[in-house]
Amino acid sequence: QDKGGYKLFERAFADSNDMAIHFNHTHKDPVMREMIRNKDVRIALSLGIDRAEIIDIVYQGVGEPWQIGPLPQHVLYNEKLGRQHTEYDPDRANELLDAAGYAERNADGIRLLPNGEPMIFNVNYAGVETPHLGDVLEIMKEQWTEIGVGLNATSVERSIYYSRGEANEHDFMVWGAPGGLDPTLSPRDVLAVHPQASWFAIPWTRWYLSGGTEGEEPTESMKTRLKLYDQFKAEADPEKGLDIFRQIHSIAADEFEIIGITQRPNAFGVVNSKLRNVPEVIPGSWMYPDPAPTMPQNYFYAE
C-alpha cells in the first residue's frame, strides 16, 4: 500500500447469509412437498451440514455458521432466526429422519421416499455469478451422504436458473440472502413477496401479489406474516414498524422454512491514498447501493 500509494476500504455486506437454501414448500410432486414441509426433516438437513468445514475450505476460514435474519449488530437481531440448528450433528439428523418415516434405504444407503424413490435433491445454481456455491454444494453432497440424503448440483446460465424457479420446477434454490442489515427493505426470505427471489414458495408469492386470484393459498403462518407486512407498510411510526417486524421474524424462526450456511465475508476495495472523504467502511448492498450514498461528489484529492 505504501509503495503503491493506495489503501483499502471495507465493504461490510448487508446480506444475512452467503448461501440460503430455499426448500420448495410448493413442490409440484406431492411426495417431495410432504417431505419438505416436515420441519423435522428440514432440521435434520441443517444438522447434517458441517458449516465449519465449508467455511474452512470454501471461505478460507472467514465466516460464521448462520441461518437467515438480521445480523447481531442490527436492532432487529433475532438469535433463534440466525443461529438455531447450525451445529453439526449427523447422529441427531439420522434420528430425526428415521422418526419422520424415512428410515428405509436403498443399496447405496440413500433413504427412500414413500413412493420408493430415493431422497435426492436436484439443484441448479447460477455458475457464472456464484461459482463458489457449486463448491459448497459439492461438500454438502458428501456430508449429506452420512445421513442418507442425495444431492445433485448443476451449474446453469442465470436466465435458466430464473426460468426454472419461476416455473416452480425446483427441489431447492440457492442464492445469497439479504436481510442482515436491511431486513425491512428486502424481507423476501421470511415473507413470500418477491416473484423472482422468494424461491421457497413462488405460488404463495403470486397469491399475495394478485390479491388471492393467482398462485396457491399459503399456510396460515405465512398468511399471518403477510397481514403483518401489510400493517408494517401502513405504519407511520418507525418503532411500531420495527415491533411488527419482530413478530414476523419470530414466526419465521418458529417455521424454519429456509436454511443457510454462513454469514457473508466482507470484501475490500482500493482507494488512492490522496483521495479524501472516502469512508473506511461502506455498507456493501444491492439495496444501499454503494458507493452512491457516501456522496462521491464530495470526494476530493489532497494537494
Side-chain angles (χ1 to χ4, degrees), residues 19-297:
M19 190 180 101
I21 298 172
H22 288 241
F23 294 113
N24 187 0
H25 292 250
T26 56
H27 204 291
K28 292 179 179 180
D29 181 343
V31 176
M32 287 291 290
R33 178 188 292 216
E34 181 182 4
M35 183 265 289
I36 287 170
R37 287 197 178 188
N38 188 320
K39 181 179 175 181
D40 284 342
V41 169
R42 300 193 300 275
I43 292 173
L45 293 170
S46 183
L47 295 175
I49 300 173
D50 187 345
R51 292 168 175 80
E53 180 181 38
I54 291 172
I55 291 170
D56 184 51
I57 295 173
V58 179
Y59 297 92
Q60 288 86 50
V62 181
E64 181 178 343
W66 198 254
Q67 299 291 4
I68 59 170
L71 298 175
Q73 61 266 41
H74 195 276
V75 67
L76 289 179
Y77 169 60
N78 180 306
E79 183 175 7
K80 182 177 180 180
L81 186 61
R83 300 185 187 276
Q84 64 178 332
H85 311 307
T86 53
E87 67 274 19
Y88 180 50
D89 191 346
D91 291 337
R92 178 59 179 157
N94 277 308
E95 291 175 0
L96 287 171
L97 290 172
D98 287 348
Y102 302 100
E104 188 176 352
R105 305 192 186 206
N106 63 17
D108 296 323
I110 300 299
R111 296 175 183 275
L112 296 178
L113 299 171
N115 61 2
E117 294 295 318
M119 187 186 286
I120 298 176
F121 289 90
N122 295 297
V123 59
N124 298 139
Y125 64 96
V128 174
E129 288 84 358
T130 58
H132 67 290
L133 298 190
D135 297 330
V136 175
L137 290 166
E138 284 301 312
I139 297 173
M140 278 179 52
K141 179 177 182 177
E142 294 181 8
Q143 295 172 352
W144 274 1
T145 59
E146 298 298 318
I147 60 172
V149 176
L151 174 61
N152 295 321
T154 306
S155 171
V156 297
E157 196 272 329
R158 186 168 181 173
S159 64
I160 297 174
Y161 172 88
Y162 276 108
S163 64
R164 289 180 179 172
E166 290 170 28
N168 199 36
E169 295 177 346
H170 56 286
D171 295 341
F172 68 77
M173 301 280 275
V174 294
W175 197 264
L181 299 177
D182 53 0
T184 63
L185 294 177
S186 187
R188 67 195 196 196
D189 291 345
V190 295
L191 293 164
V193 294
H194 197 306
Q196 274 193 322
S198 293
W199 298 122
F200 64 99
I202 291 297
W204 294 354
T205 301
R206 292 193 177 125
W207 180 90
Y208 173 68
L209 296 178
S210 68
T213 62
E214 299 178 14
E216 176 185 320
E217 185 174 351
T219 59
E220 290 302 316
S221 167
M222 181 54 67
K223 285 195 288 186
T224 298
R225 277 174 276 170
L226 292 171
K227 288 179 182 178
L228 287 168
Y229 186 51
D230 287 339
Q231 293 174 25
F232 166 79
K233 290 186 288 184
E235 179 55 65
D237 186 321
E239 288 303 317
K240 290 182 179 178
L242 291 174
D243 285 339
I244 291 172
F245 249 89
R246 288 187 179 96
Q247 295 180 63
I248 292 172
H249 286 157
S250 178
I251 297 171
D254 288 340
E255 293 298 321
F256 194 58
E257 292 151 337
I258 297 172
I259 68 175
I261 300 298
T262 179
Q263 291 181 15
R264 190 175 183 187
N266 289 346
F268 293 87
V270 177
V271 60
N272 190 300
S273 297
K274 295 182 179 180
L275 192 62
R276 299 292 185 262
N277 275 350
V278 181
E280 293 184 2
V281 180
I282 296 177
S285 169
W286 175 263
M287 290 290 180
Y288 188 55
D290 66 298
T294 68
M295 301 185 70
Q297 60 268 39

